Amino acid sequence: MTPPRWMWWLCCLLLWTACAGPEMRRHRSYSQIAVDSATAGCLRNSACAAQVGQDAILPWLTRAAARAGQAAAVMRLWEAAEVARVERVLVECAKRANFDVNERMLGPGGRTTRAICEERVVDANGREMTRAVQLGNAKHEAALACVQQELGGTDAGRFSLEPRYLRDTKTGRTRWLDPEEVARWLAAGQFFLLTGTIAPDVVLHALGNPLNVQAVYDFKFPCPVGNFPRWDPYPDGHPFASKDQGEIYQQILKSEGAPQLVSPNFGVTP
């Protein structure tokens, strides 16, 4: 005998309720509703729905993770292996600049001697100086251009060339000066505004933050080239008189390590 139709409907209802269990009746939390809303919104958005994996399911969580990763990258300083690589680049640039400028200004195969270094010359602006100063300025310019070429494509934002800093005498804090502002001061002849500032050749720092300094380097091109490089002392009457560059760099920038010199014959030295 075939059971009445109402009994079939009763059986189906009981089976459906048993399979659903208590989960169907449990109150959803706010987080669950938020996730479901994000997912539903994503599925209604063709650009979002075209993504795959977790990016499509939780786009807001993916973006948050990306921002956290960017923040970590900003705080990350140079690792030891990276610093070693940079120092190799600096030494190579110093050697290249020394050779190229000697070839250009002293002739093929030209080398510095004490007599050549002590010669008096006049530069393109009519300023009188020793040949040592003239060669040194040209080599500095060439070395910095070399560093920019070698590191600019891979480490942009993590190093600065000749950044200018000033210790605020009122607050005791170190300020980084905007290069455009410094250029305006120089163009206007307001050199007094640079009194008490420093401008190391190369500074390694956190990404996008030249005040979070890790390492400081200055190129030196002794004349003759066999002389050992040294930090130049500040002259009498200067705000840093009786101290040398390296000492002041460390006081103002408080880098992790002591500032280093870079020269073509001796490499990286304290």
Side-chain angles (χ1 to χ4, degrees), residues 41-88:
C42 178
L43 294 176
R44 288 193 298 269
N45 184 325
S46 58
C48 177
Q51 301 179 62
V52 296
Q54 294 181 347
D55 284 352
I57 298 174
L58 297 177
W60 58 272
L61 182 58
T62 301
R63 289 194 297 269
R67 286 194 292 269
Q70 291 168 357
V74 169
M75 294 302 296
R76 184 175 70 86
L77 291 174
W78 296 76
E79 297 180 359
E82 294 178 305
V83 173
R85 171 177 61 84
V86 169
E87 292 186 349
R88 288 193 295 269

Side-chain angles (χ1 to χ4, degrees), residues 137-193:
N137 290 342
K139 292 173 181 179
H140 261 90
E141 183 177 347
L144 292 174
C146 173
V147 173
Q148 179 61 43
Q149 180 180 1
E150 294 295 326
L151 300 181
T154 56
D155 301 294
R158 302 179 66 204
F159 74 97
S160 296
L161 301 181
E162 296 187 304
R164 195 166 286 274
Y165 299 90
L166 173 67
R167 173 67 63 83
D168 192 314
T169 55
K170 294 182 179 179
T171 65
R173 295 180 178 179
T174 298
R175 291 175 50 206
W176 171 80
L177 302 181
D178 187 328
E180 293 184 359
E181 183 178 29
V182 172
R184 287 194 296 269
W185 293 346
L186 294 176
Q190 298 175 311
F191 303 104
F192 66 93
L193 294 175

Side-chain angles (χ1 to χ4, degrees), residues 13-65:
L13 179 61
L14 292 173
L15 288 171
W16 178 80
T17 305
C19 290
E23 181 65 24
M24 292 293 294
R25 296 182 295 273
R26 189 172 61 189
H27 178 70
R28 293 191 301 168
S29 67
Y30 174 80
S31 61
Q32 288 174 307
I33 296 172
V35 169
D36 290 347
S37 298
T39 304
C42 178
L43 294 176
R44 288 193 298 269
N45 184 325
S46 58
C48 177
Q51 301 179 62
V52 296
Q54 294 181 347
D55 284 352
I57 298 174
L58 297 177
W60 58 272
L61 182 58
T62 301
R63 289 194 297 269

Side-chain angles (χ1 to χ4, degrees), residues 115-138:
I116 289 176
C117 294
E118 293 175 353
E119 288 179 0
R120 305 297 297 184
V121 297
V122 178
D123 69 3
N125 296 318
R127 296 173 300 185
E128 184 177 350
M129 62 187 66
T130 63
R131 178 77 73 177
V133 172
Q134 183 189 46
L135 290 171
N137 290 342

